[in-house]
Amino acid sequence: MAEGRNKVLEQIMKSGTVKKGQTVIVGFSGGPDSLTLLHGLNKLSNDKGLDLRLVPVHVNHLLRGRDAERDQERAVEMAESMGLQCLVFRRDCRGFAAENSMTEEEAGRKLRYDIFLETARRLEKEDGKRPVIAVAHNADDQSETIFFRIIRGTGIRGLAGMNAVRKLEDYQVVRPLLNVTRAEIEDYIESEGLQPSIDKTNMDDDYSRNRIRLRLIPEIESSMNQGFRENLRRLGENAREDEELLDSLAEKAFDEMRFPEEDSEFLRSVTVDSEKFASCHNALCSRITRSVFQELGIAEGFSRNIMEEVKDVASSDNPSARLELPGGASVRRIYGKLVFSRAEPLVPSGKETEGHDGSDGSVKIFSGTVSGIREAEVREENVLSDGTRVMAVFDLDQLKKNYPGIEIDPEKADGCGSTGQGIVIRTRRPGDFIQTGVGRKKIQNMLVDMKIPKELRDSLKMAAVGGEILWILPDSRIKSGPLAEKGRFSQDYRTGKDDAGDKKVLAIEYRIQK
């Protein structure tokens, strides 16, 4: 019996899941597994100097009537016998399952982990130390989990089974008993003279997990392979090692194909090289796609089919191919790039602005003379820039020739004169055009030729007179090309460095807010 006791304590220490001086929240039903975990941690804390702050948490799911009440009372008593205070929470698991279209098993798990998180946050706030959450899954649970996943269908990640440590938001969930078998736990219980609570529903094979534990695995062990449980665990260990290698290769491939400078917080987007993604091995593509899902906050919906559809978009002959993804996201080809995004246009098409655009810049419109507004040399391309602002300068006489009613009122941000015909800052509208020097060009066609992402086109800011665009303003969301720096402006109203100082000009200043 002492051998079983020592094996439990040795495996808890060997797992490295708890460290000296930690606060440990222990999921404590009072059953054999959780009692062994709590008792073992308490023993190591006192006898081996780990000096742990142990906080047992018991959740009464209100499913088993008087039996659940007795288990709650016993959990409190067992914790007190170890000098510990057990925190008790009561939750209507059946009602929660019905409200959220879950099985009772799923609802119970969700409720428990929500309570663990709630407790962890409160304890951290009290003493400033981040606790860990310890649960009592054992080696047999690991075998059953892997077998259950095989039956349902899984990949290498699923075959790896449960990890000894996993993240739960900002906290760690640890499984110190993951390499301890159920037989070893029973030996520990007996050698320490413990009296755990017994949940009779664990003997009900109406539940899938119970059926695997009570019927399927024992039948295979008795008739085919006595070492079946151990073989399942070994399969899990092999799969975990393979998964770790593939994850590292996928991370490297992701870094090589990604354009981090084009990721956008506004768009919540991730951009990669479409050709590199399309040529990448499926084993890596699936992991890269899953990583993108995590970055975009897509909680569910990833599958092999999704990955293959994304790869079809990446390799499509259509340079604007698109696929809708779960969670309101999408992936689209933008020429040689593949953009995963949850974007929605910031400003509806054609909407006038109040002097601000989606790039955190402000716009001012005024008139004057070349010498009056020139603070730097007026270059041939009309644009002044000093890093904090960009100013486009246009021939005011030519503007008035084309638009006789135009007046520029310096007191008005949109430049509208008394006739109401003036410069406005807005997003594009159907029929908008810009003069290119060889004729007019539709804004839609120009944006396509400039390879501006489709999801950005409706939120770009433009200085317009009627349907004519004088200037497509620069935008910080675009990382290359003219719109990344100075914007694109009309060639019909150019001014030049040789213009006389008293030449009348219209100036539109875009000031970048740092």
Side-chain angles (χ1 to χ4, degrees):
M1 295 301 176
E3 182 180 347
R5 175 197 306 156
N6 292 336
K7 178 66 182 293
V8 168
L9 300 179
E10 287 170 6
Q11 285 299 325
I12 292 176
M13 292 295 292
K14 187 177 179 181
S15 71
T17 52
V18 292
K19 296 176 175 59
K20 185 176 181 178
Q22 275 187 321
T23 297
V24 184
I25 297 166
V26 182
F28 186 54
S29 68
D33 299 343
S34 65
L35 178 54
T36 296
L37 176 60
L38 183 61
H39 190 275
L41 288 172
N42 193 52
K43 197 173 186 65
L44 290 170
S45 180
N46 295 330
D47 297 350
K48 299 294 184 180
L50 286 187
D51 192 25
L52 303 173
R53 179 189 178 188
L54 297 174
V55 183
V57 172
H58 179 87
V59 182
N60 185 340
H61 298 95
L62 307 179
L63 289 173
R64 297 181 294 114
R66 182 55 192 156
D67 286 344
E69 299 302 318
R70 278 194 293 266
D71 287 351
Q72 175 183 316
E73 293 166 5
R74 286 282 298 130
V76 171
E77 291 170 2
M78 285 186 277
E80 286 178 348
S81 71
M82 293 179 246
L84 304 171
Q85 179 184 0
C86 182
L87 304 182
V88 174
F89 297 84
R90 299 168 65 86
R91 295 292 186 269
D92 179 8
C93 184
R94 186 169 289 118
F96 184 82
E99 289 174 7
N100 294 277
S101 301
M102 295 177 171
T103 66
E104 289 179 2
E105 282 182 286
E106 293 169 337
R109 185 180 187 281
K110 168 69 174 166
L111 289 169
R112 285 193 301 278
Y113 280 94
D114 283 351
I115 288 168
F116 295 156
L117 274 174
E118 173 189 330
T119 305
R121 294 189 190 107
R122 180 175 59 78
L123 293 177
E124 184 177 14
K125 190 174 182 179
E126 286 177 4
D127 61 15
K129 294 167 62 176
R130 180 160 295 180
V132 296
I133 300 165
V135 291
H137 295 115
N138 61 49
D140 288 59
D141 293 324
Q142 180 77 297
S143 300
E144 293 156 14
T145 295
I146 293 169
F147 193 35
F148 186 52
R149 292 176 179 177
I150 291 172
I151 293 171
R152 288 191 311 176
T154 190
I156 294 177
R157 185 181 295 262
L159 288 177
M162 296 178 285
N163 293 320
V165 180
R166 74 173 181 90
K167 290 284 286 183
L168 180 64
E169 294 190 8
D170 294 329
Y171 300 92
Q172 285 188 339
V173 176
V174 300
R175 299 182 172 98
L177 299 182
L178 202 55
N179 289 320
V180 178
T181 66
R182 192 165 288 126
E184 289 165 344
I185 287 173
E186 290 170 356
D187 285 347
Y188 185 90
I189 292 288
E190 186 174 350
S191 66
E192 293 291 340
L194 303 177
Q195 294 182 322
S197 299
I198 302 299
D199 183 349
K200 296 176 182 177
T201 62
N202 286 334
M203 303 305 293
D204 183 355
D205 64 6
D206 285 343
Y207 295 103
S208 298
R209 293 295 294 260
N210 288 357
R211 195 177 307 125
I212 288 171
R213 182 177 69 254
L214 299 173
R215 292 170 52 187
L216 296 182
I217 290 180
E219 174 64 24
I220 291 172
E221 286 181 327
S222 65
S223 63
M224 302 178 68
N225 185 345
Q226 289 184 349
F228 184 57
R229 292 174 207 254
E230 185 177 346
N231 289 346
L232 286 170
R233 291 193 290 273
R234 190 174 298 116
L235 171 64
E237 291 168 4
N238 292 338
R240 193 173 305 111
E241 291 173 356
D242 290 351
E243 181 69 12
E244 288 172 357
L245 174 62
L246 289 169
D247 278 348
S248 66
L249 294 175
E251 183 178 358
K252 181 180 179 181
F254 192 15
D255 288 343
E256 291 175 352
M257 69 175 64
R258 187 170 187 172
F259 296 101
E261 70 279 3
E262 298 198 15
D263 293 351
S264 167
E265 182 178 354
F266 165 77
L267 291 175
R268 298 184 68 186
S269 66
V270 174
T271 304
V272 299
D273 185 297
S274 59
E275 185 176 346
K276 288 181 179 179
F277 185 92
S279 63
C280 202
H281 194 284
N282 280 355
L284 304 186
C285 276
S286 65
R287 287 162 175 79
I288 292 169
T289 305
R290 186 185 289 112
S291 294
V292 171
F293 270 45
Q294 291 172 347
E295 285 198 31
L296 294 181
I298 305 173
E300 56 187 27
F302 176 79
S303 67
R304 181 180 177 85
N305 289 341
I306 288 287
M307 182 275 294
E308 291 174 346
E309 290 174 354
V310 170
K311 205 165 185 181
D312 288 343
V313 171
S315 59
S316 173
D317 292 333
N318 180 358
S320 300
R322 178 186 175 105
L323 172 68
E324 298 300 324
L325 297 173
S330 66
V331 60
R332 68 175 67 203
R333 273 278 302 284
I334 301 178
Y335 302 96
K337 296 172 182 175
L338 192 65
V339 180
F340 298 82
S341 176
R342 297 188 69 146
E344 294 294 340
L346 183 64
V347 181
S349 178
K351 182 176 179 180
E352 295 184 15
T353 73
E354 298 178 355
H356 297 280
D357 80 342
S359 300
D360 292 328
S362 62
V363 178
K364 180 181 179 182
I365 303 173
F366 54 96
S367 60
T369 63
V370 168
S371 60
I373 67 170
R374 187 186 316 184
E375 296 180 8
E377 181 183 359
V378 178
R379 298 193 184 92
E380 193 171 1
E381 65 268 27
N382 291 51
V383 178
L384 309 175
S385 177
D386 64 6
T388 62
R389 65 176 186 156
V390 181
M391 183 185 294
V393 183
F394 302 92
D395 186 329
L396 185 56
D397 289 335
Q398 184 63 39
L399 267 170
K400 288 188 173 184
K401 180 179 178 181
N402 290 353
Y403 298 94
I406 194 170
E407 293 182 25
I408 305 300
D409 183 349
E411 300 300 319
K412 293 191 175 183
D414 66 358
C416 287
S418 59
T419 62
Q421 184 181 37
I423 312 299
V424 295
I425 304 300
R426 60 170 174 80
T427 53
R428 66 173 179 165
R429 294 173 179 166
D432 281 348
F433 66 93
I434 192 169
Q435 295 289 351
T436 64
V438 292
R440 66 169 58 185
K441 188 167 189 174
K442 289 184 177 180
I443 290 296
Q444 163 67 16
N445 295 339
M446 173 161 281
L447 296 180
V448 170
D449 291 347
M450 293 170 69
K451 299 185 178 180
I452 303 302
K454 189 174 181 181
E455 62 268 24
L456 289 182
R457 295 173 194 166
D458 284 338
S459 61
L460 293 173
K461 302 302 174 292
M462 304 178 189
V465 182
E468 181 174 2
I469 302 303
L470 302 183
W471 189 23
I472 307 173
L473 275 64
D475 194 302
S476 64
R477 296 168 295 171
I478 299 170
K479 305 302 180 182
S480 61
L483 295 195
E485 297 179 0
K486 300 177 181 179
R488 178 62 67 91
F489 54 91
S490 170
Q491 297 295 299
D492 231 20
Y493 309 99
R494 294 169 62 104
T495 62
K497 60 184 178 181
D498 296 326
D499 286 335
D502 60 353
K503 183 179 181 65
K504 293 180 179 180
V505 293
L506 167 78
I508 305 175
E509 180 185 82
Y510 170 70
R511 188 169 293 276
I512 303 166
Q513 296 178 357
K514 295 293 186 180

